[in-house]
Amino acid sequence: MIRLNTRQPLVSVIIPFYNCQYVNQAIESVRRQTYKNIEIIVVNDGSTMYTELVKPYLSQIIYLEQENKGVAAALNKGLKHAKGDYIAWLSSDDLFDEKKVETQLELMLNNLAEISFTNFNIIDEHNKIINFNVGKHFTSSLEFVESLKNYCPINGCTIMMSKKLVQRVGLFDETLKYTQDYDYWIRAALQATIHYYHITLTNYRVHKKMGSVVHRLEQMEEFKMIKEKYRQDLERLITKTRMKNDV
């Protein structure tokens, strides 16, 4: 349990929502957190379905609406309204373990980390875990940075980051429809050390309607563009990290 001499940090959890039948379950998973100093920000990105699932929670959350602009714009709207010292992101079809915020925040405070991510499980439409601990286990910062050059090694819903880091990195790139997270983690890695904790605190739902399935080919094209855009920056970061590890 986190014990601090000062107030407990406020954690903002942003839930982008677009026509998702699981949004109430996502909200519930945040409401059930063992850590209680949390604000829940649900951003309705122009949904035409399932908005009734959010109505029972309106008195308990910050509810924002916008016309459909995509995940990056929804996250940015949430970031602009977030008052938290730390920020987490939960997709509306995914779930947090009840100790997600408490555990990850404590690890970050103990390690003076500005940003971190963890492992995750995969669940199906019925919340059944079908694959345990599917994220890659990184044993060093160099291994992580090298992987970042080739693919996105981070599940965005496992991220927690400080508001101070967000203020330095800026907002998500709204011109990117499918890889706004990959772009952001690279930009963050160029600003701060991204910590990995080999613990599973998030359940990531795989289903037929998820964007990464429906728009797989478009996503792959954006990935290629991002990798080329940051290729030299990441090569320099890899060299810097390798030299630091050799000291």
Side-chain angles (χ1 to χ4, degrees):
M1 180 177 293
I2 298 172
R3 291 184 175 88
L4 301 171
N5 294 326
T6 57
R7 68 175 180 85
Q8 290 192 329
L10 175 64
V11 177
S12 301
V13 179
I14 302 172
I15 305 177
F17 163 53
Y18 178 70
N19 291 344
C20 180
Q21 68 191 64
Y22 306 104
V23 63
N24 57 325
Q25 295 184 39
I27 295 171
E28 277 291 341
S29 78
V30 182
R31 289 185 66 250
R32 290 196 298 264
Q33 291 297 297
T34 54
Y35 187 84
K36 297 305 180 184
N37 196 20
I38 295 175
E39 66 172 7
I40 304 173
I41 304 174
V42 176
V43 183
N44 182 349
D45 184 38
S47 296
T48 58
M49 298 186 294
Y50 305 117
T51 55
E52 71 280 0
L53 298 177
V54 180
K55 289 182 179 179
Y57 302 101
L58 291 180
S59 64
Q60 305 162 54
I61 65 175
I62 298 170
Y63 183 61
L64 308 173
E65 294 182 309
Q66 64 180 26
E67 63 183 42
N68 181 238
K69 296 180 180 179
V71 176
L75 287 168
N76 286 342
K77 194 174 187 73
L79 287 175
K80 291 173 184 177
H81 285 80
K83 297 181 177 66
D85 305 289
Y86 291 84
I87 295 167
W89 158 21
L90 178 62
S91 293
S92 55
D93 45 7
D94 298 338
L95 304 172
F96 279 170
D97 179 89
E98 65 178 8
K99 292 186 177 181
K100 148 81 173 179
V101 173
E102 178 182 354
T103 302
Q104 192 166 4
L105 179 59
E106 185 168 23
L107 287 166
M108 290 182 67
L109 293 173
N110 289 341
N111 290 279
L112 301 179
E114 290 188 284
I115 180 170
S116 72
F117 71 105
T118 70
N119 212 321
F120 61 97
N121 298 323
I122 291 181
I123 58 175
D124 63 14
E125 294 94 334
H126 309 291
N127 296 344
K128 179 182 178 181
I129 297 176
I130 54 178
N131 279 300
F132 290 85
N133 309 317
V134 297
K136 181 174 173 56
H137 179 196
F138 294 98
T139 58
S140 70
S141 57
L142 178 59
E143 183 183 8
F144 165 71
V145 172
E146 287 177 333
S147 72
L148 196 61
K149 181 182 175 182
N150 299 312
Y151 66 98
C152 182
I154 299 174
N155 182 314
C157 294
T158 73
I159 278 280
M160 184 179 289
M161 54 188 171
S162 71
K163 184 67 174 291
K164 291 181 179 179
L165 178 62
V166 172
Q167 290 170 342
R168 299 205 309 272
V169 176
L171 299 175
F172 286 86
D173 186 344
E174 296 183 18
T175 66
L176 300 172
K177 293 183 178 180
Y178 313 108
T179 59
Q180 73 289 327
D181 53 345
Y182 185 32
D183 174 85
Y184 200 90
W185 313 143
I186 293 175
R187 287 158 53 200
L190 297 173
Q191 293 280 341
T193 298
I194 299 181
H195 293 244
Y196 170 71
Y197 301 125
H198 188 49
I199 184 171
T200 299
L201 301 170
T202 301
N203 288 326
Y204 174 73
R205 193 186 308 274
V206 173
H207 55 96
K208 294 178 181 179
K209 295 182 180 180
M210 62 191 300
S212 58
V213 173
V214 177
H215 302 289
R216 183 174 177 274
L217 294 179
E218 297 96 324
Q219 187 181 60
M220 290 175 64
E221 287 301 313
E222 276 195 3
F223 269 121
K224 291 178 183 178
M225 181 187 69
I226 296 299
K227 286 193 288 187
E228 181 57 31
K229 177 180 179 180
Y230 293 106
R231 180 175 57 82
Q232 293 184 344
D233 288 327
L234 287 172
E235 287 175 352
R236 285 191 288 266
L237 181 60
I238 289 169
T239 300
K240 180 180 177 181
T241 305
R242 185 178 291 116
M243 292 175 63
K244 183 178 179 180
N245 288 356
D246 289 341
V247 173

